Amino acid sequence: MGKLVEIANLSFSYNGKLLFDKLDLEFTEGNFYTLVGPTGSGKTTLLRILVGLEPTHDYIKVDGDFLNPKNMEKIRSKVRFVSESSRTEFVTNQVSQELEFELKRRNANHILETILEFAKKYEIEDLLPRKISELSRGEQQIVAFLTAIITSPKLLLLDNAFTEVETSRKNHLLEIYKKEQKGEVTIVETASSLSEAPMSKEILLLDNGKILFQDKMKNLVAHEKELEKHHIELPFSLDLSLKLRYYDRIQEVEMDSRKLVDYLWK
Amino acid sequence: MEIKFQNLFYMFPNQTIFNSLNVTIPSGKITCLLGKNGSGKSIFVNLLRLIRLPKKGSIFVGDYEITSRGMLQNVLEYENQIGYVSSFPEENYSYDTVLKEFLAQLEKFHYNPAKRRKHIEDALEIVGLSLDYLYRDPFSLSSGEMRLVSLAIALSHNPKVLILENPTIGLDKERKRTVINLLMRLKSRYKKTILIVSQDMNFINEIADTIVILKDGKVWKQGAKKEIFAASKGLVKEGFSLPDMVSFRELALDKKKIRLGYQSDVNDLVKDILRQE
């Protein structure tokens, strides 16, 4: 799989403070990443840089193009950024109209059909005719997410995009999306703890201006001390496993709750 | 201060939100309000903040009947008793420094200028933020920092009731622990009534005394946290997520017929597992 995002030697200051210190980063196509870091470590800023919302002259490539004014329009058409405030950035006041606007913007064909099929897939048919201002905050965040994915971005950045949405609903939507996309989208989400990231494939720890490690979720136990040092909560099963291992109740850690239960009481 | 909703009706032109809602939020305890998206959690909070008025019914907060006409004279006094931390802190910021945000709040409630500085410094200290934050632009703060600042601002005027929406967003383990310890202290030492709306089930599992679940315009379930989470199958069937520890307990029971006690602390769960042999 190709590299979707390459960042080399990124240095960036925010509010007079050095936020990124010669930071290197690579995202591969089709993967799901969770970017964790303590409060204020720069997670949001890093994502904003990728979508061109913060100026930078450093080596950053998105889908093969350098991030510069000349390529900005092209890159922006492939990257979507959804944050907790995306629900205040709607252009229209009706759910179906908002989806229509997105599709028209990308010169899509068969707009009505696309919207209906999309709504059926994501189980929001009843939301289509609703006025966005009359939706609850959680429903608005769901609409913001769907508006971002209906045009099939290559890179989807989620920064606290589901703060008002119940976890089960959020996971359900992401499941459908992942199945749909079949590895054609790269998703990067931010998190302050790992108990929030059940579906992630690779975890990156950001602190003190650098990416301290980037590794698959299944290898997380190797980074346990570092996560602890930077105040990141471990996923539940891993945390429980480590504690049980300490008391010699089990010999190996298990990241999956079901497997842990099996292992504990064979 | 106990909060009581009596026969409350609230509707939009095309939608009924509350249909004779009756609920009591106990004084001096931490209550978590749950409900599916659109079940009325925000409306509930906005009714308490006097931002919305019910169609019918009464709301009592301590001795205030906030839905009565006579309330108009006591609005400021009542608002001084309510500390609110929004899910979107930015929406409530108006100034270019955190200090000005504090001052605006204390000015509103006519705090003595000579004493303001002390209230502000104390508030920052209890949420664990340094005084440097006073000179920061609130809009330049990270998500987690904003929530802590907003919490400090809400506490600076010493309200008897605290309403928090999604207080753990953007908070790492250490900051979350500070907030949890703070809320516990505010409850036990300062007897504050705390109402939390959050999607963070693990946080709720740790901190709640009581849980109220809204559904179809009424209270679907209300009770002690342990009771509510003990009936976890019902919650899952309704589409709610469970705290990790509660899920784990369910798994152990379903798959291996192992009965673990209900826990809200992982260390207690560990002890329980070690006891099972």
Side-chain angles (χ1 to χ4, degrees), chain B residues 50-238:
Chain B
L50 301 180
I51 288 179
R52 294 192 189 262
L53 281 174
K55 179 123 185 150
K56 231 165 64 166
S58 313
I59 301 175
F60 298 88
V61 181
D63 293 329
Y64 297 96
E65 188 182 340
I66 67 175
T67 39
S68 71
R69 288 206 109 133
M71 191 55 198
L72 288 169
Q73 283 138 7
N74 298 323
V75 170
L76 199 61
E77 197 188 286
Y78 170 69
E79 284 186 352
N80 194 13
Q81 299 308 329
I82 306 290
Y84 168 66
V85 182
S86 167
S87 195
F88 296 94
E90 282 171 330
E91 284 177 4
N92 294 321
Y93 294 147
S94 315
Y95 303 95
D96 59 356
T97 64
V98 168
L99 176 61
K100 285 182 192 164
E101 296 290 342
F102 269 106
L103 291 174
Q105 186 83 317
L106 295 176
E107 172 72 40
K108 179 176 171 184
F109 299 119
H110 307 306
Y111 270 68
N112 184 339
K115 300 214 178 103
R116 284 177 201 171
R117 187 76 193 198
K118 175 113 195 351
H119 282 288
I120 296 171
E121 289 182 3
D122 288 346
L124 278 175
E125 198 191 352
I126 50 176
V127 306
L129 289 176
S130 68
L131 294 180
D132 304 339
Y133 277 90
L134 286 176
Y135 306 103
R136 296 277 302 271
D137 181 339
F139 293 96
S140 77
L141 299 174
S142 76
S143 194
E145 288 170 330
M146 273 188 201
R147 280 174 171 80
L148 292 174
V149 163
S150 289
L151 181 55
I153 294 172
L155 290 172
S156 66
H157 63 98
N158 203 20
K160 291 211 178 67
V161 176
L162 253 184
I163 302 174
L164 309 175
E165 293 178 332
N166 286 321
T168 56
I169 303 211
L171 297 186
D172 54 49
K173 195 166 159 182
E174 194 189 6
R175 308 272 194 166
K176 221 186 249 193
R177 183 54 44 201
T178 305
V179 169
I180 288 173
N181 292 341
L182 171 60
L183 292 176
M184 298 293 211
R185 246 180 19 249
L186 290 170
K187 174 185 80 163
S188 53
R189 209 157 102 195
Y190 300 98
K191 313 281 184 231
K192 296 202 193 293
T193 300
I194 302 174
L195 179 65
I196 299 178
V197 177
S198 173
Q199 301 293 350
D200 186 343
M201 297 305 274
N202 292 326
F203 169 65
I204 292 174
N205 192 33
E206 195 171 340
I207 204 168
D209 294 312
T210 312
I211 292 182
V212 171
I213 309 184
L214 297 175
K215 185 182 155 181
D216 296 333
K218 294 188 160 49
V219 172
W220 180 56
K221 283 185 189 240
Q222 173 168 16
K225 163 182 69 179
K226 189 174 170 174
E227 221 178 275
I228 299 287
F229 285 137
S232 48
K233 291 233 177 350
L235 293 174
V236 173
K237 196 157 158 223
E238 274 297 313

